[in-house]
Amino acid sequence: MDDIEATERDYDPESTEKKIKYEELSDGQRCTYGSAYIALLQMQNIRRTYSAMSPERQFEIYLHSMVALLDMVSAFEVEVAKHAFWDLHADEINRLPPSVHSRLKDMKENFTKLQGSLKKCKEFALNGAIDIYWLSGANLAGNLNITLKTGGGEMWIDNWVGTNDNKLYRIAKDIHSVFHDGATMKRLAVTREKALEEWPYWKQVDRMCDDIFGYRLRAGLASLDEGYLTKIDKSVAYLESELTKAL
């Protein structure tokens, strides 16, 4: 209440509507959540449309499709995708180290579980996209040097996020941004247990990422111009159409 620049949101306390629909979001909100929303929809689409292909090939399709759709590939969503396409038998899962088993389960429940209808796919993807943005919130605010203006002056904010969601807490411990080159979101730290380093699937998908990310880094950053929202909306429409055919 002491923030001079505080904003308020109108809401109806009597409302019974509990679901947010992506297509009803504002332009700014679709830009904010769009890339993660598209990434999670595409994971659902690939696992159904290309189910006969190997996990490595599915992951490769994901990487190249995100470049084609948005010309932007998020490292965090890539880590989610690596877990989404990793196909394991029950006995293989049971032999995993407890930390890997826990992370795989958390990823599935929060981001990668296959949904049975387009409606469920959209709801699940939007929930995941909001969670991904939430995990990035403190880093984004830190990069923007957000301050708080009060009657006594102006203070720099040390940004933190808190949650009661144990899944997100564990995921954030294993996959998180680290400070590099003057910013908090230019590098991502990920956990790789020894068991994963020796697994052929993880060797291959990590190598793919190193090659593609290295090339894109040398080529320069993509331009997020005025047409970015158009790319997002077209990509969402395309993926919804593909999922409709696949489901």
Side-chain angles (χ1 to χ4, degrees):
M1 66 181 181
D2 295 325
D3 184 358
I4 295 172
E5 298 180 336
T7 58
E8 296 180 5
R9 299 184 188 182
D10 293 329
Y11 72 98
D12 178 6
E14 305 300 323
S15 175
T16 58
E17 180 63 48
K18 297 184 182 297
K19 299 293 184 181
I20 300 172
K21 296 181 180 179
Y22 177 83
E23 58 269 21
E24 295 176 359
L25 297 177
S26 67
D27 289 357
Q29 289 170 323
R30 297 201 312 281
C31 266
T32 298
Y33 302 126
S35 61
Y37 181 66
I38 288 165
L40 296 175
L41 281 181
Q42 179 65 319
M43 291 177 209
Q44 295 273 336
N45 176 44
I46 290 172
R47 291 174 67 196
R48 291 188 176 278
T49 304
Y50 303 100
S51 59
M53 294 189 175
S54 69
E56 293 86 349
R57 178 60 180 144
Q58 289 181 35
F59 178 76
E60 184 179 16
I61 291 170
Y62 169 80
L63 268 183
H64 288 288
S65 66
M66 291 304 296
V67 172
L69 290 169
L70 296 179
D71 195 22
M72 186 174 72
V73 187
S74 163
F76 187 93
E77 281 100 274
V78 161
E79 287 301 308
V80 174
K82 289 175 184 177
H83 290 80
F85 301 123
W86 192 22
D87 188 24
L88 293 167
H89 299 296
D91 60 329
E92 291 176 315
I93 294 175
N94 292 332
R95 292 200 302 268
L96 292 172
S99 59
V100 179
H101 192 282
S102 174
R103 189 182 318 122
L104 193 60
K105 181 180 179 182
D106 290 341
M107 285 285 191
K108 181 178 181 179
E109 291 182 7
N110 222 83
F111 300 118
T112 70
K113 185 177 181 180
L114 278 177
Q115 304 298 305
S117 68
L118 178 61
K119 179 175 180 289
K120 289 291 185 182
C121 284
K122 292 166 64 176
E123 290 175 354
F124 190 65
L126 182 56
N127 285 339
I130 292 172
D131 282 344
I132 289 171
Y133 182 74
W134 177 86
L135 288 173
S136 305
N139 293 322
L140 287 167
N143 284 344
L144 294 172
N145 294 317
I146 299 295
T147 60
L148 176 68
K149 293 181 180 179
T150 67
E154 187 173 2
M155 300 179 292
W156 177 79
I157 300 175
D158 183 17
N159 297 279
W160 292 70
V161 292
T163 182
N164 290 323
D165 189 328
N166 290 327
K167 302 188 306 300
L168 281 183
Y169 169 71
R170 289 190 294 264
I171 290 170
K173 286 182 66 178
D174 290 348
I175 307 171
H176 54 267
S177 296
V178 292
F179 192 83
H180 174 80
D181 193 24
T184 57
M185 298 185 72
K186 289 188 177 181
R187 288 291 184 273
L188 194 74
V190 300
T191 301
R192 283 290 181 276
E193 290 83 355
K194 191 68 176 177
L196 294 188
E197 291 177 352
E198 297 172 353
W199 203 288
Y201 170 81
W202 285 91
K203 287 182 179 180
Q204 190 163 339
V205 296
D206 282 345
R207 184 166 57 248
M208 275 189 243
C209 283
D210 289 343
D211 291 344
I212 291 178
F213 284 174
Y215 170 78
R216 290 178 62 79
L217 181 63
R218 292 189 297 273
L221 296 174
S223 174
L224 300 183
D225 54 22
E226 293 180 358
Y228 183 60
L229 180 58
T230 300
K231 283 184 180 179
I232 286 177
D233 289 343
K234 285 183 177 179
S235 297
V236 169
Y238 166 75
L239 290 175
E240 289 180 359
S241 173
E242 291 297 294
L243 278 166
T244 298
K245 289 185 287 186
L247 287 163

